[in-house]
């Protein structure tokens, strides 16, 4: 039943019920209101694979989470985007309280998410008792949340593992106890923030200016952080230099700063202003000033006299790969949401006598979105759940998944036409949110430099290439052409890495980007073949083999003199298989 009024122009001579039906509001519901677990066969496939015998216990809980994320959480995300956090700077007597006031929609969503989170310690214990891997459940939870609101994911997950881990290793006992209380609901509770970036830049951390001075077993910290997300948190890991330390990377150390001092008074943490951001408005990002803030050195006690052991930044960077995977998951979440919104719209919207999804050019675009999203999904899930974790994995996965979130959202806007450019439709926010992912935790250039560091210092390409070779061995029988192509490209990739290592230093740095892209291309193709082998063993189906073949054809095969125009149209001939395996509407 329509909830809108019939207008006079609905009865014009060239109008009529058939035309009006094409733009009936009730036909365009989109992703919100769907169960995002039930409508995603690819997630069910991965959960069966990674949970094994525990899948039967886990699936009802996955279904409940799919309903929560696709319903109330997604609806509240739209409301929070329209009514973002605000800063209450002063109280009625003009005293600085620097209080971030979160909108009711955010608080309601956060309560529901934290209360039902798959990352809660009690839930993880229950999952283990029932034979389900808590890590796989946590990955599914993040995947579903990131389709609803990556800002909320940032607010809940920014640096929680870093705060808890470093505090347990290095903080005084009474401080450890306070931090345990703060994180009683788990590391993904929204209590943490990590403060690295200053006006001198986010990547050139050696130039930071914040300074800490020793005061008993604590420190006094002064400085100004330029971009601090989750500013309404209670526990911050802050990078600073101890007074007298070297003015460079080795002088940097991490410090723990809590919102309240040991004596219960307000700590010297002042919020100057909240950032007026393009997107991710549900996470409060701010400029934060520390004025004689009580802080605790997160480094071995034997090095306290020197303000750290010179490994403070390196120690934090060791924890950065987990954060990079988190951003990769945000990119994947944006891409998946963009794909679902696109499929919903293209099957409902009619033009030139048929739904958009029945036109060959639109099918080409939708097939491309499906394949690229599932390739990124394979990368991200392998980054989290593959063992052992690859040293170069997080950088390559973020390079690909973060960027895909932006391009997929842009494609979704184009598929929606002019409607996509309007904030009343869902895809404009997805693009605004997705744009931050290539920046957070290192832009493309920083990721490429990390790949170089891993290859030069640790020969990290060797286990990486071994992993790819292993994945291709698990490809299903019968698709020897795709497996042969990917195997050949693994060999070519080894040659490319060796050739790159012999380049002049300046040229080698300039060539890092195409090398990293090549590595990501082959990595994703190998993983899709491995998934195809799992699918064949699980159900006898060959859809993943089709996805692997289409991906390899686009990213690894030569196009020939006709630029691939003469290649078989498997993406069109089997479009229904592609779509049905990516999305179930009801």
């Amino acid at each position: 039943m329509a909830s809108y009024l019939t207008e006079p122009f609905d009865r014009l001579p060239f109008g009529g019920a058939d035309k009006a039906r094409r733009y009936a509001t009730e036909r365009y519901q989109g992703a919100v209101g769907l169960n995002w677990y039930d409508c995603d066969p690819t997630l069910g496939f991965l959960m069966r694979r990674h949970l094994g015998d525990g899948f039967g216990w886990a699936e009802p809980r996955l279904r409940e989470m799919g309903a929560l994320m696709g319903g109330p959480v997604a609806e509240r995300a739209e409301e929070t985007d329209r009514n973002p956090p605000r800063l209450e700077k002063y109280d009625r007597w003009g005293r600085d309280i620097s209080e971030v006031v979160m909108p009711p929609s955010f608080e309601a969503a956060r309560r529901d998410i934290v209360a039902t989170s798959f990352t809660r310690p009690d839930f993880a214990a229950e999952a283990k008792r029932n034979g389900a891997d808590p890590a796989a459940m946590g990955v599914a939870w993040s995947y579903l949340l990131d389709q609803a609101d990556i800002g909320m994911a940032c607010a809940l997950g920014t640096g929680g593992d870093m705060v808890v881990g470093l505090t347990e290793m290095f903080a005084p006992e009474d401080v450890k106890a306070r931090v345990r209380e703060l994180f009683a609901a788990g590391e993904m509770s929204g209590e943490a923030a990590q403060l690295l970036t200053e006006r001198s830049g986010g990547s050139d951390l050696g130039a930071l200016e914040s300074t800490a001075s020793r005061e008993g077993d604590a420190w006094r910290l002064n400085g100004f952080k330029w971009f601090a997300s989750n500013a309404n948190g209670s526990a911050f890991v802050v990078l600073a230099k101890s007074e007298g330390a070297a003015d460079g990377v080795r002088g940097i150390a991490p410090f723990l700063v809590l919102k309240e001092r040991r004596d219960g008074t307000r700590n010297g943490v002042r919020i100057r202003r909240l950032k007026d951001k393009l997107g991710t408005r549900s996470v409060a990002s701010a400029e934060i000033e520390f004025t004689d803030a009580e802080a605790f050195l997160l480094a071995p006690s034997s090095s306290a006299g020197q303000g750290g052991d010179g490994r403070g930044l390196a120690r934090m960077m060791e924890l950065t790969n987990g954060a990079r995977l988190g951003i990769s998951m945000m990119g994947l979440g944006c891409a998946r949401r963009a794909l679902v919104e696109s499929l919903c719209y293209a099957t409902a919207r009619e033009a030139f006598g048929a739904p958009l999804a029945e036109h060959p050019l639109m099918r080409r675009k939708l097939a491309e979105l499906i394949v690229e999203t599932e390739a990124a999904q394979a990368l991200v899930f392998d980054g989290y759940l593959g063992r052992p974790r690859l040293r170069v994995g997080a950088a390559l996965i973020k390079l690909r998944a973060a960027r895909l979130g932006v391009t997929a959202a842009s494609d979704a806007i184009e598929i929606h036409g002019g409607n996509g450019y309007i904030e009343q439709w869902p895809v404009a926010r997805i693009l605004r949110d997705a744009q931050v992912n290539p920046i957070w935790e290192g832009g493309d250039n920083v990721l490429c430099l990390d790949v170089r560091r891993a290859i030069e210092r640790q020969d990290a390409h060797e286990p990486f290439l071994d992993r790819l070779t292993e994945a291709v061995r698990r490809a299903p029988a019968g698709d020897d052409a795709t497996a042969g192509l990917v195997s050949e490209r693994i060999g070519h990739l080894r040659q490319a890495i060796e050739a790159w290592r012999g380049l002049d230093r300046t040229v080698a740095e300039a060539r890092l980007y195409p090398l990293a892209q090549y590595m990501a291309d082959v990595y994703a193709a190998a993983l899709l073949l491995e998934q195809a082998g799992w699918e064949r063993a699980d159900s006898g189906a060959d859809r993943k083999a089709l996805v692997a073949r289409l991906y390899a054809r686009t990213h690894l095969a030569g196009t020939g003199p006709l630029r691939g125009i003469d290649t078989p149209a498997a993406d069109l001939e089997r479009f229904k298989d592609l779509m049905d395996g990516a999305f179930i509407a009801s």
Side-chain angles (χ1 to χ4, degrees):
M1 192 77 175
S3 60
Y4 47 84
L5 298 173
T6 301
E7 303 285 354
F9 54 75
D10 291 323
R11 296 187 291 270
L12 291 173
F14 291 103
D18 287 344
K19 286 186 179 178
R21 176 185 168 278
R22 295 198 302 178
Y23 49 85
T25 302
E26 63 271 16
R27 298 184 65 228
Y28 297 93
Q29 297 304 307
V32 176
L34 298 175
N35 184 309
W36 288 355
Y37 174 76
D38 284 340
C39 76
D40 188 351
T42 66
L43 179 57
F45 165 72
L46 288 170
M47 289 296 98
R48 286 196 305 276
R49 167 62 188 170
H50 289 290
L51 292 173
D53 293 339
F55 177 71
W57 173 87
E59 187 169 43
R61 290 148 183 88
L62 289 162
R63 185 165 287 118
E64 290 171 6
M65 191 58 66
L68 174 66
M69 298 301 185
V73 173
E75 291 167 4
R76 291 166 183 158
E78 299 293 341
E79 179 64 25
T80 300
D81 184 69
R82 292 189 292 268
N83 300 282
R86 61 182 175 83
L87 176 62
E88 193 80 20
K89 179 65 174 170
Y90 302 105
D91 70 8
R92 65 185 66 183
W93 285 106
R95 295 182 182 276
D96 189 329
I97 57 173
S98 290
E99 194 71 31
V100 178
V101 180
M102 303 302 294
S105 54
F106 175 92
E107 295 291 6
R110 173 179 161 172
R111 279 194 301 272
D112 285 350
I113 293 168
V114 172
T116 60
S117 169
F118 290 170
T119 66
R120 301 187 329 269
D122 61 320
F123 182 88
E126 185 182 1
K128 281 184 179 179
R129 287 195 300 271
N130 287 277
D133 179 10
M137 296 292 286
V139 172
W141 177 81
S142 296
Y143 171 76
L144 291 167
L145 172 59
D146 284 328
Q147 293 174 54
D149 187 358
I150 68 168
M152 176 65 78
C154 177
L156 294 180
T158 299
D161 56 344
M162 186 177 294
V163 170
V164 172
L166 293 176
T167 298
E168 287 295 332
M169 284 192 284
F170 302 119
E173 289 302 321
D174 62 323
V175 176
K176 288 180 185 178
R178 293 174 64 199
V179 170
R180 288 171 192 148
E181 290 176 8
L182 286 174
F183 290 90
E187 294 171 6
M188 300 284 283
S189 61
E191 297 293 347
Q194 55 189 42
L195 279 61
L196 286 66
T197 304
E198 297 188 1
R199 285 180 289 193
S200 54
S203 300
D204 187 11
L205 290 172
L208 67 79
E209 299 165 340
S210 295
T211 306
S213 305
R214 185 77 180 272
E215 194 171 73
D217 68 343
W219 295 71
R220 283 185 296 105
L221 195 147
N222 289 275
F224 182 41
K225 294 297 180 178
W226 184 240
F227 205 108
S229 288
N230 204 34
N232 53 317
S234 301
F236 308 135
V237 169
V238 185
L239 287 186
K241 295 170 183 170
S242 61
E243 200 166 7
D247 187 13
V249 170
R250 288 192 60 80
I252 296 174
F255 291 84
L256 173 69
V257 178
L258 301 178
K259 188 176 286 186
E260 294 181 350
R261 298 177 185 271
R262 275 172 158 167
D263 62 9
T265 60
R266 182 66 178 258
N267 209 353
V269 182
R270 302 172 184 270
I271 299 177
R272 287 195 174 180
R273 60 178 173 176
L274 297 184
K275 296 291 193 181
D276 186 8
K277 296 181 297 180
L278 174 68
T280 60
R281 293 173 177 170
S282 54
V283 60
S285 301
E287 298 164 15
I288 295 185
E289 178 185 2
F290 294 97
T291 54
D292 285 337
E294 181 184 66
F296 303 94
L297 178 65
L298 298 174
S301 56
S302 59
S303 66
Q306 294 79 43
D309 58 357
R311 293 198 66 253
L313 183 58
R315 192 174 289 111
M316 283 193 66
M317 291 302 102
E318 289 168 5
L319 299 172
T320 296
N321 275 345
R324 284 180 175 162
L325 286 174
I327 304 302
S328 303
M329 184 64 86
M330 292 178 186
L332 173 59
C334 291
R336 171 67 193 179
R337 178 71 182 277
L339 170 62
V340 173
E341 296 290 357
S342 296
L343 291 171
C344 288
Y345 191 85
T347 53
R349 181 67 167 164
E350 297 174 8
F352 308 108
L356 292 179
E358 293 184 9
H359 293 284
L361 277 170
M362 183 58 72
R363 287 194 165 188
R364 179 206 67 82
K365 172 55 68 180
L366 293 170
E368 179 183 279
L369 267 175
I370 291 169
V371 170
E372 294 299 326
T373 300
E374 291 187 35
Q377 184 189 59
L379 288 169
V380 174
F381 274 70
D382 189 67
Y384 274 105
L385 301 175
R387 293 292 182 270
R389 283 194 175 180
L390 299 170
R391 169 63 182 85
V392 295
L396 295 175
I397 294 165
K398 182 181 181 298
L399 187 71
R400 180 55 51 85
R403 188 63 60 184
L404 177 64
V406 178
T407 58
S410 180
D411 284 340
I413 287 177
E414 182 181 351
I415 288 167
H416 283 69
N419 290 335
Y421 202 64
I422 305 303
E423 292 287 355
Q424 271 189 300
W425 295 78
V427 288
R429 179 175 71 88
I430 300 172
L431 179 61
R432 287 192 286 103
D433 284 357
Q435 188 61 63
V436 77
N437 291 323
I439 301 171
W440 273 345
E441 300 298 345
D444 289 355
N445 290 346
V446 171
L447 297 173
C448 290
L449 291 172
D450 188 51
V451 170
R452 179 179 72 182
R453 191 159 45 244
I455 292 174
E456 291 181 343
R457 297 182 184 178
Q458 299 166 262
D459 285 331
H461 59 292
E462 294 294 350
F464 172 75
L465 293 170
D466 290 345
R467 171 73 182 98
L468 270 55
T469 301
E470 176 191 21
V472 175
R473 287 198 193 105
R474 295 172 176 166
D479 199 0
D480 297 337
T482 305
L485 171 62
V486 178
S487 293
E488 182 181 44
R489 293 296 180 263
I490 293 172
H492 292 168
L493 182 55
R494 179 180 291 280
Q495 295 174 27
I497 292 171
E498 292 306 317
W500 170 81
R501 296 183 87 172
L503 294 174
D504 167 82
R505 188 74 173 172
T506 300
V507 175
E509 181 172 318
R511 298 292 181 266
L512 271 169
Y513 184 77
L515 176 64
Q517 290 288 355
Y518 192 5
M519 294 171 75
D521 286 340
V522 184
Y523 187 12
L527 292 178
L528 287 171
L529 278 174
E530 183 177 58
Q531 288 189 359
W534 296 341
E535 183 187 53
R536 182 70 58 82
D538 180 58
S539 65
D542 70 340
R543 181 186 171 278
K544 279 290 182 183
L546 171 64
V547 173
R549 187 159 60 251
L550 292 172
Y551 184 87
R553 188 180 74 189
T554 299
H555 290 268
L556 300 180
T559 58
L562 301 183
R563 299 295 294 273
I565 291 172
D566 58 336
T567 56
D571 53 338
L572 301 181
E573 294 163 3
R574 295 192 59 187
F575 178 75
K576 188 175 187 305
D577 290 338
L578 284 174
M579 189 170 81
D580 289 350
F583 177 63
I584 299 172
S586 57

